[in-house]
Amino acid sequence: MANVVVVGAQWGDEGKGKIVDWLSERADGVVRFQGGHNAGHTLVINNHVYKLSLLPSGVVRPGKLSIIGNGVVVDPWALVAEIKTLKNQGVEISRSNLRIAENATLILPLHRTLDIMREEAAGTCKIGTTGRGIGPAYEDKVGRRAIRVQDLKNLDKLEAKVRWLLVHHNAIRRGLGKLELDCTDLVCKLKEIAPQILPYIDITWDLLDQLRREDKRILFEGAQGSMLDVDHGTYPFVTSSNTVAAQAAIGSGMGPGVLGNILGISKAYTTRVGSGPFPTELTDETGRLLGERGNEFGVVTGRKRRCGWFDAALVRQMIRVSGITGLVLTKLDVLDNFPNIKVCVGYELNGKRVDRLSAGLSTQEHVVPIYKTLEGWSETTLGTRTWTDLPMQAMRYVRYIEKLIECPVVLLSTSPQRDDTIIVRDPFEI
């Protein structure tokens, strides 16, 4: 049975949550494999709105197993709060449908405060993080001093590990002129939250392997977008983990040979939150209109998203890096009633044509987009569920994008509602 990996093909906020939820109807398990609660997914199901940050999107589907993989950094307090919110909305969450990798890294209060302190100290050089401690937690992970989920099962050894962690963090705090942290206070907080996390802890790589052996379908859910990848994105304005499809194997504990089809998610235009290069950004009335129609505000932070035309050169680059086999185009309806729609087909740099973004920030900031202008459509696409019901110009827009990105468009999303999805090709069979 085919497994599917879902990754963002832009700078995040592409609508991955809805697509994962839609696909999870045909999957047996959904696993998050990177990021933390800095990622936000909004699901609209029968007019009920569910806002997820850390939980896999499949958790709202009855009978589906949701797994938080080892590649995720887990804020236990944020997780408990999110579970409580969903339960209050009528979603059943228990060990029967949620598991957390025992070897996932914990985000602690000290990570959040360090994240904020460093951003404040950076001034005009700040990255634009969400301030949720994601980066500092990953730093402790690779520094081999992190507190992990499994440590909540071994509370007798927890104090020694926290003391070792604070050797590092208190040195940084002294350098920033901040008060040092007390080990006892943090240990008490962890002991208090531990009973609410313990029921979900599992050896998730083994659990996923059991699903594989039983020929069950596994859906791998990525967070953020490929252009925020710490290696392949617009560094340093990136997240602290690998967001490309290959991370699905590492962050879940499964071999790369079982990943299956790779779906990239992209808006029919482009958005970005926070600082960093954005070649097709529109700061005029058109950009404002895209943001207004698309309700472009971050699910987690509420920050206004920057908006621009679709960047085919950028998406094509991420398709190659992630090995994407099919693209999902979301928010097509936002482009309704634009008389003309532009698509970036490449860039100009120092008078020369280039077809990719290089790794250098100075280059990324100075490329000028080369646009192709297409005729728009006046008919509405909102809520359309079949390809033949689309306006002819909308069809031509999709086909032109396919040609530019050298990848088939397999699904189209025409509203936040789960069922407002056009199947162009079966994503499990591409």
Side-chain angles (χ1 to χ4, degrees):
M1 304 290 282
N3 298 324
V4 173
V5 181
V6 174
V7 293
Q10 297 167 311
W11 279 289
D13 308 305
E14 301 99 343
K16 294 182 293 297
K18 170 191 168 175
I19 300 304
V20 170
D21 171 58
W22 187 87
L23 290 168
S24 66
E25 183 177 19
R26 297 172 59 190
D28 300 290
V30 181
V31 54
R32 270 282 306 273
F33 57 82
Q34 51 78 218
H37 65 306
N38 55 339
H41 294 156
T42 299
L43 308 180
V44 182
I45 304 167
N46 297 325
N47 295 319
H48 294 292
V49 179
Y50 303 97
K51 294 189 176 183
L52 308 180
S53 294
L54 191 55
L55 291 169
S57 298
V59 76
V60 299
R61 286 273 188 184
K64 307 298 180 180
L65 179 62
S66 290
I67 296 171
I68 297 176
N70 58 274
V72 178
V73 284
V74 180
D75 183 322
W77 295 274
L79 177 60
V80 168
E82 191 172 333
I83 290 173
K84 181 179 179 181
T85 297
L86 285 183
K87 284 184 174 181
N88 289 338
Q89 290 184 276
V91 179
E92 294 187 10
I93 301 177
S94 67
R95 183 175 174 82
S96 65
N97 69 335
L98 177 64
R99 307 290 175 88
I100 306 171
E102 63 172 4
N103 51 339
T105 294
L106 292 178
I107 298 175
L108 308 176
L110 56 82
H111 293 129
R112 296 194 296 271
T113 55
L114 177 58
D115 206 353
I116 294 169
M117 287 189 301
R118 290 200 301 208
E119 281 286 88
E120 291 174 347
T124 57
C125 297
K126 64 181 180 181
I127 301 297
T129 74
T130 59
R132 279 156 171 74
I134 309 299
Y138 274 117
E139 290 173 34
D140 283 342
K141 175 181 178 177
V142 298
R144 294 164 292 182
R145 55 181 171 266
I147 307 300
R148 304 205 291 179
V149 170
Q150 64 184 355
D151 293 321
L152 299 179
K153 297 191 297 184
N154 302 291
L155 297 179
D156 57 325
K157 297 180 180 180
L158 185 59
E159 183 173 342
K161 293 185 176 183
V162 170
R163 287 191 184 281
W164 175 241
L165 176 66
L166 290 182
V167 169
H168 173 80
H169 279 269
N170 280 334
I172 295 176
R173 294 178 70 89
R174 287 194 298 270
L176 293 172
K178 305 294 183 179
L179 294 176
E180 295 188 22
L181 297 171
D182 177 62
C183 174
T184 302
D185 178 62
L186 180 53
V187 170
C188 287
K189 289 179 179 177
L190 286 168
K191 288 182 176 180
E192 183 179 326
I193 198 71
Q196 299 181 71
I197 302 296
L198 290 176
Y200 304 105
I201 299 176
D202 207 343
I203 305 171
T204 54
W205 67 263
D206 189 49
L207 180 59
L208 286 165
D209 188 61
Q210 291 177 35
L211 292 178
R212 180 190 66 81
R213 291 173 183 272
E214 295 169 3
D215 285 332
K216 303 294 186 181
R217 276 180 169 165
I218 302 169
L219 197 54
F220 300 86
E221 178 182 8
Q224 289 95 28
S226 297
M227 285 304 297
L228 293 176
D229 185 275
V230 70
D231 288 308
H232 301 286
T234 48
Y235 188 91
F237 298 99
V238 292
T239 194
S240 301
S241 61
N242 288 109
T243 58
V244 295
Q247 178 64 23
I250 299 170
S252 66
M254 301 197 76
V258 305
L259 294 185
N261 296 325
I262 314 294
L263 285 190
I265 316 296
S266 169
K267 287 176 182 171
Y269 50 102
T270 310
T271 64
R272 177 167 196 171
V273 172
S275 307
F278 185 173
T280 65
E281 181 176 12
L282 298 171
T283 56
D284 58 6
E285 178 65 16
T286 300
R288 186 198 65 78
L289 193 56
L290 283 171
E292 184 179 279
R293 290 183 180 179
N295 191 29
E296 296 298 351
F297 296 91
V299 175
V300 173
T301 63
R303 289 186 295 178
K304 185 178 180 180
R305 298 179 186 132
R306 301 151 65 189
C307 298
W309 294 121
F310 185 84
D311 190 336
L314 180 148
V315 173
R316 182 174 61 243
Q317 183 169 330
M318 289 301 99
I319 284 172
R320 293 173 179 175
V321 170
S322 264
I324 291 170
T325 53
L327 190 76
V328 179
L329 206 60
T330 66
K331 291 197 171 185
L332 183 67
D333 55 293
V334 174
L335 297 181
D336 292 352
N337 297 309
F338 277 98
N340 295 294
I341 300 171
K342 293 184 178 181
V343 178
C344 174
V345 298
Y347 313 111
E348 184 178 295
L349 180 65
N350 299 324
K352 295 182 179 180
R353 167 76 179 255
V354 293
D355 294 319
R356 63 183 65 84
L357 278 180
S358 72
L361 182 61
S362 60
T363 299
Q364 295 169 355
E365 290 179 328
H366 291 97
V367 294
V368 177
I370 300 171
Y371 286 118
K372 169 73 173 180
T373 301
L374 304 178
E375 182 183 348
W377 54 90
S378 58
E379 306 97 319
T380 183
T381 62
L382 181 65
T384 303
R385 298 183 181 181
T386 62
W387 173 258
T388 54
D389 286 336
L390 286 175
M392 182 60 67
Q393 295 303 327
M395 292 182 186
R396 289 176 180 172
Y397 180 73
V398 173
R399 293 305 186 205
Y400 185 62
I401 284 176
E402 282 186 318
K403 179 181 177 181
L404 291 174
I405 64 175
E406 302 171 359
C407 180
V409 171
V410 297
L411 296 174
L412 293 169
S413 173
T414 56
S415 93
Q417 290 284 351
R418 174 190 282 172
D419 294 329
D420 291 341
T421 305
I422 299 173
I423 304 173
V424 184
R425 296 175 179 85
D426 188 334
F428 281 97
E429 304 298 335
I430 55 176

